[in-house]
Amino acid sequence: MLKALKIFLSELTGETVHISEFSNGRLSTIHVEESSKAHRVFVNIGTILPYHATASGLAYLAACPAEMIEAALKVPLDGFTEFTITDPAELRRRVAETQAQGFSVNRQGMEAGVISASAAIAAPGGRPVGCITVAAPFVRTGDDRILQHGAAVRAAAENIFEAFFGTDREVRPPLQSRRNG
């Protein structure tokens, strides 16, 4: 299901699509579908995606509880490019913007020349488990186009949730086993 969805999203946008997962306290890439275009963004499996420097990180953080957002604001925000968010107040503003629109946009935060849109993939109860992201060369992706990518990843994240969990967003207690004797 994930493979079919990321291939569809890559064909729809014409750009590289990657899926990340939160594990061991960090967000990292687990699936990639590269664009068929010669000029494209390459993302390696296992790439660590810093919260403050990537669209995936912003989308993930925006879906987290307030205490996790605050914890992320207390660590040093290393710069990767001249466009990386390194100011906690700006990161807080971008998280709020992401929460309002349902997807994040990151312009050259991790790597110069790359623009990305990402949406968090949630589990029941709303806790994020990862993200789905479209990454494109900055030179051919204007504001209208990146907003289209954002709407596409937001819809894809919803489709992933429904495929795995149905439409019920409530957290259910685990079933208890009953043993006789």
Side-chain angles (χ1 to χ4, degrees):
M1 192 310 243
L2 283 177
K3 184 174 182 175
L5 187 58
K6 74 179 174 156
I7 290 170
F8 169 77
L9 193 56
S10 183
E11 289 173 354
L12 176 71
T13 63
E15 303 298 352
T16 297
V17 173
H18 62 96
I19 297 173
S20 57
E21 174 184 63
F22 182 77
S23 181
N24 295 320
R26 62 188 185 187
L27 193 61
S28 59
T29 304
I30 59 169
H31 295 286
V32 177
E33 185 66 33
E34 290 184 357
S35 169
S36 61
K37 297 177 180 175
H39 184 204
R40 62 182 174 243
V41 175
F42 292 91
V43 180
N44 293 321
I45 301 283
T47 299
I48 304 302
L49 304 164
Y51 301 131
H52 70 290
T54 63
S56 302
L58 284 171
Y60 181 85
L61 200 56
C64 286
E67 63 272 6
M68 186 163 176
I69 295 169
E70 290 306 312
L73 292 167
K74 291 179 181 171
V75 300
L77 304 176
D78 298 331
F80 297 94
T81 72
E82 63 182 289
F83 305 103
T84 306
I85 301 168
T86 57
D87 174 41
E90 176 62 12
L91 181 56
R92 188 176 276 112
R93 187 190 73 72
R94 294 289 304 282
V95 166
E97 178 183 277
T98 298
Q99 290 168 332
Q101 64 188 10
F103 62 88
S104 66
V105 172
N106 188 283
R107 292 171 173 84
Q108 306 185 86
M110 183 73 173
E111 187 173 333
V114 175
I115 185 169
S116 300
S118 185
I121 300 166
R127 191 89 183 210
V129 294
C131 294
I132 185 159
T133 305
V134 172
F138 190 78
V139 69
R140 70 164 175 253
T141 310
D143 288 343
D144 288 349
R145 187 100 169 114
I146 199 64
L147 294 177
Q148 290 171 356
H149 294 339
V153 294
R154 184 179 57 219
E158 284 293 319
N159 288 337
I160 292 168
F161 177 91
E162 289 177 9
F164 283 106
F165 306 111
T167 58
D168 188 359
R169 300 212 175 263
E170 289 184 41
V171 176
R172 303 268 183 231
L175 295 175
Q176 299 294 318
S177 116
R178 296 183 186 177
R179 292 185 172 202
N180 294 330

